Amino acid sequence: MHGAVVEAFGKPLVFKDFDIPVPGHGQILVKTEACGVCHTDLHAAKGDWPLKPTLPFIPGHEAIGIVIGMGDGVTAVRMGERVGVPWLYSACGHCEYCLSAWETVCPEAKFGGYTQNGGFADYVIADPNYVAHIPEGLSATEAAPLICAGITTYKGIKETKARPGQWIAISGCGGLGHLGIQYAKAMGLKVCAVDIDDGKLEHAKRLGADVTINAKTGDPAAAVKAATGGGAHGVLITAPSLPAFKQGVAMTRKRGVCVLVGLPPGEFPAPLFDMVANCISIVGSFVGTRADMAECLAFAADGKVKADIELQPLSAINDVLERLEAGDVPSRVVIDFS
Ligand code: NAD
Ligand code: ZN
Ligand code: ZN
């Protein structure tokens, strides 16, 4: 097995060869066909977050592949099935969060490409109870971005509680945001797309954004308020940049919900008086559950959402991560293992 390994935070990934892992009881072995490169992989490789992965590890949590082996006791998948190995690698199944279908916040949750080796390798071990089931008709490369960028924005939009006909502002139109715009339109929302890059904003317009706003060239909150007649009913912040968070709260309509999904390291100041006086909610949202996964994949299988992908070989991973940091990836790079 050939994989790209983080051996030290902030250093290039190292290519290594290993024995092909043998699936244990209740595990499956997946032959990787494709794996998307998420900005989270960059945070992981840099050790950006308070909860750090144990070194060394193989990143990648948008892996799609074929089940080619299984240990004893596996009933949830078939040999030969196409599955996705996502960020939510597994959960305990019996805590108060798992019992209420909030397995994403299970205290025993394991994370693909973070606490468990992920998809920047040609084989990956997975938990069959938590893999994504890829619908017929979706190729591995087009499915890959959906199992993190897709599910995270789909769930985040649901968390805004914005209803058809209302406005959503999506801050950050990269890997996550370009899918978020499409989910929002498919869900009947009007979209204000906010980014700091004119190329991303032109692309947002092509994807159906009703209004585009460059946050670098003016006050994006004032621009959203003007475009929406008082602020967006829902705001989804995907930008990996702290200034976007204060701006996102400021573009939220009275009684609206501002959902945070971007994860730059650090903290941001919340405007206490405005939040209280305008009854604004700020909500964190972390990927999505297995039910959200099935729903978000169904949108793509129905042709309502399509990831824009650039294919690259695994050997290009360090260059891809550098481009992601510089904002030079138009939408999503997918590592193609075929
Ligand atoms: P990306 O690099 O593909 O896209 C980020 C976009 O944000 C780019 O288009 C960039 O131009 C734009 N941007 C940067 N600064 C901005 C600003 N100040 N205002 C508006 N836009 C700005 O990254 P991605 O893969 O889409 O991931 C985005 C973030 O979401 C990362 O922090 C990642 O870790 C996080 N994430 C969170 C979850 C979750 O479950 N909450 C899941 C996946 C990713
Ligand atoms: Zn991700
Ligand atoms: Zn649990």
Side-chain angles (χ1 to χ4, degrees):
M1 152 173 152
H2 184 68
V5 183
V6 178
E7 293 196 324
F9 293 123
K11 294 276 188 288
L13 277 59
V14 178
F15 298 99
K16 291 211 146 170
D17 290 309
F18 308 88
D19 291 337
I20 296 174
V22 177
H25 180 85
Q27 292 183 325
I28 56 172
L29 177 65
V30 176
K31 173 103 180 62
T32 315
E33 299 175 281
C35 186
V37 184
C38 180
H39 207 108
T40 290
D41 297 312
L42 184 61
H43 295 307
K46 288 166 66 185
D48 269 349
W49 297 335
L51 170 72
K52 291 190 200 313
T54 305
L55 297 168
F57 69 98
I58 300 174
H61 55 271
E62 289 184 350
I64 308 291
I66 302 293
V67 180
I68 60 157
M70 47 179 69
D72 301 335
V74 173
T75 53
V77 300
R78 292 172 281 108
M79 286 291 273
E81 186 180 340
R82 175 171 284 151
V83 297
V85 189
W87 177 257
L88 182 68
Y89 184 92
S90 67
C92 81
H94 49 74
C95 70
E96 66 175 287
Y97 306 105
C98 285
L99 288 180
S100 55
W102 273 95
E103 64 266 28
T104 45
V105 291
C106 171
E108 312 260 318
K110 294 179 180 161
F111 303 121
Y114 203 79
T115 67
Q116 307 301 123
N117 282 330
F120 292 173
D122 47 8
Y123 294 88
V124 58
I125 292 281
D127 183 327
N129 296 315
Y130 289 85
V131 291
H133 300 269
I134 307 305
E136 293 286 327
L138 278 186
S139 72
T141 49
E142 62 188 357
L146 302 172
I147 72 163
C148 176
I151 188 175
T152 301
T153 50
Y154 172 64
K155 174 70 159 189
I157 294 165
K158 287 206 289 185
E159 289 290 285
T160 69
K161 309 276 195 294
R163 293 191 305 273
Q166 294 186 329
W167 280 102
I168 186 159
I170 297 181
S171 170
C173 303
L176 265 63
H178 94 283
L179 285 168
I181 292 164
Q182 298 178 58
Y183 278 107
K185 290 308 295 179
M187 291 158 86
L189 298 166
K190 291 188 284 190
V191 176
C192 263
V194 183
D195 205 290
I196 53 171
D197 180 290
D198 282 329
K200 303 258 171 68
L201 290 169
E202 277 161 30
H203 189 45
K205 193 105 209 164
R206 288 195 293 274
L207 292 172
D210 299 274
V211 176
T212 57
I213 292 163
N214 190 324
K216 235 183 186 166
T217 55
D219 174 356
V224 169
K225 281 190 163 143
T228 58
H233 303 83
V235 176
L236 182 71
I237 307 177
T238 79
S241 151
L242 285 176
F245 287 73
K246 192 175 174 199
Q247 292 163 359
V249 176
M251 52 184 80
T252 311
R253 202 180 191 90
K254 293 184 182 195
R255 300 204 58 236
V257 182
C258 179
V259 172
L260 319 182
V261 299
L263 273 167
E267 297 178 1
F268 77 98
L272 185 54
F273 183 82
D274 291 347
M275 282 181 63
V276 171
N278 296 328
C279 298
I280 285 171
S281 305
I282 300 182
V283 173
S285 187
F286 199 38
V287 286
T289 66
R290 289 168 290 177
D292 298 315
M293 184 69 87
E295 290 172 22
C296 91
L297 289 169
F299 275 80
D302 288 346
K304 298 190 177 91
V305 167
K306 191 170 169 47
D308 285 311
I309 53 176
E310 172 192 325
L311 299 182
Q312 290 288 351
L314 183 63
S315 56
I317 189 65
N318 287 312
D319 175 52
V320 171
L321 290 172
E322 264 177 40
R323 284 173 55 207
L324 206 51
E325 179 145 48
D328 284 342
V329 172
S331 295
R332 200 54 139 198
V333 169
V334 173
I335 303 297
D336 184 1
F337 288 85
S338 65

